Amino acid sequence: MKQMGIVAYGAAIPKHKVAASTIAASQGKDGNAAEALGIISKTVPRVDEDAITLATAAGQMATERFIAASGELDLIDTLFIGSESHPYAVKPSGTVVKEALGLSDFLSMADLQFACKAGSQALQISAAYVKAGMARATLAIGADTAQARPGDALEYTAAAGAAAFILAADSAKQPTLANLLATTSVATDTPDFWRKPKESYPQHFGRFTGEPAYFKHVGLATKRLLEQTKLAPSDLDYCIFHTPNGKFPQAVAQQLGFSREQLAPSLVVKEIGNTYAAASLLALTAVLDIAQAGVKILLCSYGSGAGADAFLFETTAALPKAQQKFSNQLVKQIAALQEIDLATYHKMREQNAH
Amino acid sequence: MHTKISAQNTKIIGYYIGKFGELWTKSLTDLIKEGVAGALADSQIDPSEIDAIFVANKAGGSFNEQRHLGALVSEQFAHFPPAMRVEGACASGGLAVIAAEQAIRSGLYQTVLVLGVEKMTDVSSSETSAILATAASRDQEYGSTFPALYAVLANYHMQRYGTTREQLSSVVVKNHHHAMTNPAAQFHKEFTPEQVSSSVMVASPLRLLDCSPITDGVAAVILSSKPSARKTELLGFGHAQDSLALQDRRDLSELAATKIAASRALKMANLSQKDIQAAEVHDCFSIAEILATEDLGFFAKGEAATQIAAGATTHGGQILINPSGGLKACGHPVGATGVKQVAFLSAMIENGQIERGLTHNVGGSGATAVVTILGSKK
Amino acid sequence: MRVTESWRQNKTWAKYLGKEGVVVASTLMEVAATDQLAFLPYSYLVVNLGKEKISVMGAAGEAFNCGDKVKLVLRKIKKEAQAEVITYGLKAIHV
């Protein structure tokens, strides 16, 4: 097959953020924990939002751009959505999103869960459908309204957001904005973070979530991708790593030989927090929003439990042209975030509790 | 379309208004019995003279788990007159009155009982909100409440014509003042404009005291085409419809159905607005009375609020609006209101207080409107 | 809203999702029916989409004035009980 890759994408975050210092005050602590995590703020969803509504918002931006670039909704043959906060244990998020977006009834569709790599796995599956010639266009979404137990360390980072990508073969009618050159994944049974169906909040095993979990799997997947593509970190223009906090991606980038400059545009986590299954995908939208033509982007997500998906994208000449027509990009949504105070944070947290 | 079949007008030969309020000890059936007995007593006719019954009730099925109200009222009579229930949301009462008139004009019946009743206080207030919201469009207006729809109209009116918070309050103050002399009214309490303006917000700008209350009550009238010593005649009526949902109205500054119903009624009666001395209008919310007095043609569009605040619609003013206290102060047992309006003005005519009166009853946010003109021939 | 009602309604979402319009009239509700109590206070709006007008709830937490530019998005329109299906619908947000 010729080149295939991203033809359209969208990003959606809630309209409100809470400062890490406010969460610290809520926990009766000083600001040190927030500093250690490298987080300034995180997004907070409203009582009428959930992973489905955020997925729809990101999907709507993607399909709007897809149609504007002469795509037709009926060409979208698959929809995969990854989340750890699917509203139902049984009944897919994706069918609600599909009705809202007006996709065809002839659709391959399933929800995925693999902690924070559920969205990137959805992206990889979508790419496979296109490469196999089984789908003309595919929609992949990572979306979450993550919950954390009040008082837990995760409360600083558990945030909400969604990112959506439409993949297709490159064509004259609708050229790709970024081609997928290679992808690889790893998975091992590593119990660093889990939640049983009837539990409201996840459990996590402290420092075990670091070296044997995040760093091991991101390292494995990234190195294997670089071996397969015979590339060194210095051959790439940007790198994106999953963002459970602001520090881990910086540490792993350094470990793997990437520079601060390569990583910088992807660190939206500082303001929006860890958006879980959307995290690495939202970071990808931020990089695509500013990337020039012909740059190489490495993305490696991480999902607790554990696994990682690595991707190598190369942007095309179509991307800078498309950027000129973009509106409401992630950076603009971040700039428009309204900060809430402690009382409002408590009220919203209570409303969102399940 | 609106020409009379007989030369004589139908007369209101009996009327009854029960006490309106939170009537904890009275069931729906108790209210019905009271209304039947009260109207018969006032008319002094034999029960066997009732040829047919029209029952006005909005939501007995929801409030009381009781439908089939025609049968329930009919069985109060030994001869079981033919009966049916009429429903048009809050216009059920007015609709039942004109349905009775239409039946009389057909020649099939001569003497007809119209009984309006609602028993609202057996369910919780949030259940009540949901039940009242069924007057709106389920498909288009889900998530709204009745106050919210009228609040939207209030905001539009305030924006377009500069109607003020104080002017809304003046409607409420006036109606509570009128109710002080109506023994059947739910409330015998007067308010200052400040008390109205500072009551709890329901849906901006409408506050608690802008909203008609939850009320139990019954009202009944007996219409007859037979000769009678009674003075009050049904001189004319008008019935009009509009879209169920606000979004489909042509102009949010008016209730077009009111305008058309009024025009039809006045034409049938061969009268104009200046011939009317008193009107019972549909003030489900303070803004509704402002809209009503404009759409009925008593004031120009955008001018009612100023006029009401200046006293034009109370005793000694240009026209007496809601002498009973209106829905706000007399109370609003939904199905009973339109019948109460006819009963109240009939009493005023019988007592020589006025010669011509107009009733105005609206369903939902203005999708149904019924206007009747009552009066005595000189 | 009942399951089958909501299911019939979902066929209308795609027609309006993402559409932009102007607020014609609005109110901020502080009293609601049981289904929406958890969203209070919320706005109720009549929005002019150009070719037609639509009535919608405002998204939770957003306040509106006449003349505001809005966009239609998917949100929860009822706070459902634990055992109930989730009811989604169109609401307005500021553009």
Side-chain angles (χ1 to χ4, degrees):
Chain A
M1 155 173 286
K2 284 194 318 197
Q3 299 278 36
M4 60 78 58
I6 299 166
V7 291
Y9 62 92
I13 55 173
K15 289 201 173 186
H16 292 87
K17 65 180 177 186
V18 61
S21 54
T22 306
I23 297 175
S26 167
Q27 296 193 357
K29 298 188 175 135
D30 60 30
N32 289 335
E35 238 186 271
L37 293 168
I39 299 278
I40 303 169
S41 57
K42 69 166 192 179
T43 57
V44 184
R46 281 284 178 183
V47 65
D48 58 355
E49 294 186 274
D50 63 8
I52 287 179
T53 65
L54 285 166
T56 302
Q60 193 269 324
M61 187 187 286
T63 55
E64 196 175 276
R65 292 176 177 179
F66 181 65
I67 292 166
S70 54
E72 285 159 36
L73 284 180
D74 281 357
L75 293 174
I76 298 176
D77 294 319
T78 79
L79 169 57
F80 291 95
I81 302 190
S83 178
E84 357 188 336
S85 51
H86 287 296
Y88 296 98
V90 178
K91 189 188 173 304
S93 302
T95 51
V96 179
V97 175
K98 167 254 169 203
E99 292 299 347
L101 297 180
L103 303 186
S104 163
D105 286 350
F106 296 103
L107 194 70
S108 292
M109 199 271 128
D111 284 1
L112 303 178
Q113 65 100 339
F114 198 147
C116 300
K117 89 165 192 83
S120 58
Q121 185 65 74
L123 188 66
Q124 196 187 73
I125 290 172
S126 304
Y129 262 86
V130 174
K131 275 179 162 292
M134 283 170 61
R136 297 161 297 169
T138 61
L139 176 55
I141 302 179
D144 255 302
T145 47
Q147 299 278 322
R149 185 175 297 104
D152 191 290
L154 288 177
E155 194 185 0
Y156 287 97
T157 52
F165 291 84
I166 299 178
L167 306 181
D170 183 42
S171 70
K173 191 174 176 210
Q174 182 150 72
T176 49
L177 305 178
N179 290 320
L180 178 64
L181 301 185
T183 179
T184 193
S185 297
V186 299
T188 73
D189 188 30
T190 307
D192 59 319
F193 181 101
W194 64 93
R195 182 175 67 78
K196 293 238 189 77
K198 292 187 183 168
E199 296 293 295
S200 299
Y201 304 113
Q203 306 289 334
H204 55 105
F205 197 45
R207 286 185 58 79
F208 182 64
T209 63
E211 196 255 302
Y214 176 90
F215 290 96
K216 172 181 163 183
H217 294 80
V218 170
L220 271 179
T222 303
K223 284 180 194 162
R224 184 170 166 90
L225 186 71
L226 291 174
E227 277 163 33
Q228 285 176 338
T229 55
K230 299 188 177 30
L231 293 170
S234 55
D235 296 322
L236 305 175
D237 299 280
Y238 297 103
C239 62
I240 302 168
F241 297 104
H242 172 53
T243 52
N245 52 58
K247 299 286 178 151
F248 275 23
Q250 294 184 64
V252 81
Q254 193 179 37
Q255 277 176 22
L256 292 169
F258 291 91
S259 73
R260 283 177 172 280
E261 290 71 31
Q262 287 172 306
L263 184 67
S266 71
L267 293 176
V268 289
V269 62
K270 290 185 189 162
E271 281 139 322
I272 68 174
N274 179 9
T275 50
Y276 284 50
S280 51
L281 299 185
L282 276 172
L284 178 58
T285 70
V287 173
L288 290 173
D289 282 343
I290 52 108
Q292 296 182 328
V295 304
K296 289 193 175 62
I297 305 167
L298 179 138
L299 181 155
C300 189
S301 66
Y302 169 72
S304 287
D309 302 315
F311 301 81
L312 179 65
F313 290 101
E314 185 171 32
T315 62
T316 69
L319 178 60
K321 282 187 209 149
Q323 284 166 353
Q324 285 166 27
K325 295 188 204 137
F326 286 169
S327 62
N328 207 25
Q329 299 93 319
L330 183 59
V331 67
K332 288 199 181 141
Q333 294 183 46
I334 290 174
L337 282 170
Q338 293 160 32
E339 190 173 325
I340 57 176
D341 62 20
L342 184 62
T344 311
Y345 171 63
H346 282 157
K347 185 179 171 201
M348 285 173 75
R349 189 179 66 185
E350 197 188 308
Q351 285 179 328
N352 292 337
H354 48 63
Chain B
M1 185 178 158
H2 292 113
T3 48
K4 290 197 279 284
I5 294 169
S6 69
Q8 306 234 120
N9 289 320
T10 301
K11 284 192 172 180
I12 315 297
I13 65 163
Y15 48 78
Y16 176 77
I17 302 173
K19 174 88 176 89
F20 283 10
E22 289 175 314
L23 309 175
W24 304 111
T25 59
K26 298 205 173 166
S27 68
L28 182 67
T29 307
D30 292 334
L31 292 170
I32 286 169
K33 288 180 198 266
E34 181 190 332
V36 167
L40 285 173
D42 182 71
S43 69
Q44 301 199 312
I45 62 170
D46 194 88
S48 61
E49 288 199 50
I50 299 292
D51 297 324
I53 302 171
F54 288 84
V55 184
N57 171 269
K58 184 201 161 169
S62 304
F63 286 122
N64 320 109
E65 317 292 327
Q66 178 67 66
R67 294 193 172 87
H68 212 179
L69 294 185
L72 187 47
V73 180
S74 180
E75 72 173 9
Q76 308 306 320
F77 295 81
H79 65 296
F80 295 98
M84 68 170 76
R85 173 181 164 229
V86 174
E87 185 270 326
C90 322
S92 298
L95 286 175
V97 169
I98 67 173
E101 168 67 353
Q102 288 162 13
I104 289 172
R105 287 191 183 194
S106 76
L108 193 56
Y109 303 123
Q110 290 179 295
T111 302
V112 176
L113 170 68
V114 181
L115 185 140
V117 66
E118 207 80 45
K119 171 71 189 171
M120 300 174 75
T121 55
D122 284 351
V123 300
S124 71
S125 63
S126 54
E127 277 177 275
T128 301
S129 271
I131 293 168
L132 293 177
T134 60
S137 168
R138 179 73 169 177
D139 288 342
Q140 315 287 352
E141 294 177 318
Y142 180 76
S144 69
T145 58
F146 215 43
L149 297 178
Y150 273 90
V152 164
L153 292 175
N155 276 310
Y156 193 83
H157 203 273
M158 290 165 101
Q159 226 207 130
R160 182 112 180 244
Y161 301 110
T163 301
T164 66
R165 172 64 255 176
E166 292 69 36
Q167 286 166 342
L168 291 177
S169 298
S170 71
V171 174
V172 177
V173 170
K174 166 193 72 82
N175 284 342
H176 272 266
H177 179 66
H178 288 176
M180 296 299 284
T181 52
N182 175 7
Q186 180 168 3
F187 298 116
H188 293 113
K189 181 180 159 75
E190 301 211 55
F191 291 106
T192 66
E194 293 71 37
Q195 284 173 313
V196 180
S197 302
S198 60
S199 58
V200 167
M201 188 69 84
V202 173
S204 67
L206 297 180
R207 293 176 178 268
L208 187 63
L209 291 179
D210 288 302
C211 307
S212 55
I214 307 299
T215 317
D216 302 326
V218 63
V221 294
I222 301 177
L223 277 58
S224 185
S225 56
K226 289 181 180 167
S228 164
R230 292 281 181 138
K231 288 192 225 174
T232 311
E233 298 179 18
L234 182 57
L235 300 176
F237 66 87
H239 173 196
Q241 308 286 150
D242 199 344
S243 67
L244 192 51
L246 285 184
Q247 71 203 47
D248 299 319
R249 304 283 167 81
R250 263 205 336 247
D251 182 354
L252 288 176
S253 67
E254 64 179 25
L255 296 188
T258 294
K259 289 171 77 171
I260 299 167
S263 165
R264 287 178 178 162
L266 289 166
K267 185 171 175 200
M268 188 188 290
N270 202 20
L271 294 171
S272 74
Q273 283 82 355
K274 60 175 171 48
D275 298 316
I276 310 293
Q277 287 96 44
E280 286 280 316
V281 310
H282 200 83
D283 63 318
C284 45
F285 302 92
S286 52
I287 183 62
E289 179 161 322
I290 292 169
L291 289 167
T293 50
E294 290 172 352
D295 298 331
L296 289 167
F298 296 125
F299 303 113
K301 183 49 72 179
E303 293 184 12
T306 319
Q307 294 290 330
I308 293 167
T313 58
T314 188
H315 300 282
Q318 173 189 321
I319 174 164
L320 183 58
I321 302 290
N322 282 336
S324 71
L327 278 60
K328 175 63 193 75
C330 181
H332 184 36
V334 180
T337 283
V339 183
K340 167 222 115 183
Q341 292 174 331
V342 171
F344 196 88
L345 290 181
S346 298
M348 290 186 81
I349 292 166
E350 291 302 317
N351 295 333
Q353 291 166 281
I354 59 170
E355 279 172 8
R356 306 262 186 278
L358 177 149
T359 71
H360 166 246
N361 198 203
V362 173
S365 65
T368 301
V370 179
V371 170
T372 74
I373 315 279
L374 304 165
S376 60
K377 285 258 168 66
K378 280 207 175 80
Chain C
M1 184 175 279
R2 308 196 198 286
V3 172
T4 47
E5 254 190 294
S6 172
W7 168 67
R8 281 190 295 268
Q9 286 275 329
N10 78 17
K11 314 297 171 221
T12 67
W13 295 340
K15 184 178 168 201
Y16 294 102
L17 190 79
K19 291 272 184 298
E20 295 187 9
V22 176
V23 175
V24 169
S26 70
T27 179
L28 182 67
M29 293 171 57
E30 308 214 11
V31 172
T34 322
D35 285 355
Q36 283 83 31
L37 282 176
F39 298 151
L40 289 172
Y42 64 92
S43 293
Y44 197 75
L45 316 170
V46 175
V47 176
N48 187 357
L49 297 174
K51 286 186 193 157
E52 62 183 305
K53 297 198 288 287
I54 188 174
S55 307
V56 283
M57 290 187 258
E62 299 208 17
F64 299 86
N65 291 311
C66 297
D68 282 351
K69 289 208 175 84
V70 296
K71 178 173 152 167
L72 298 177
V73 297
L74 192 77
R75 289 290 177 95
K76 293 197 269 199
I77 57 173
K78 170 183 164 174
K79 191 78 158 99
E80 78 286 355
Q82 182 63 10
E84 279 186 302
V85 79
I86 304 170
T87 307
Y88 296 95
L90 298 164
K91 287 188 178 176
I93 59 167
H94 284 283
V95 167

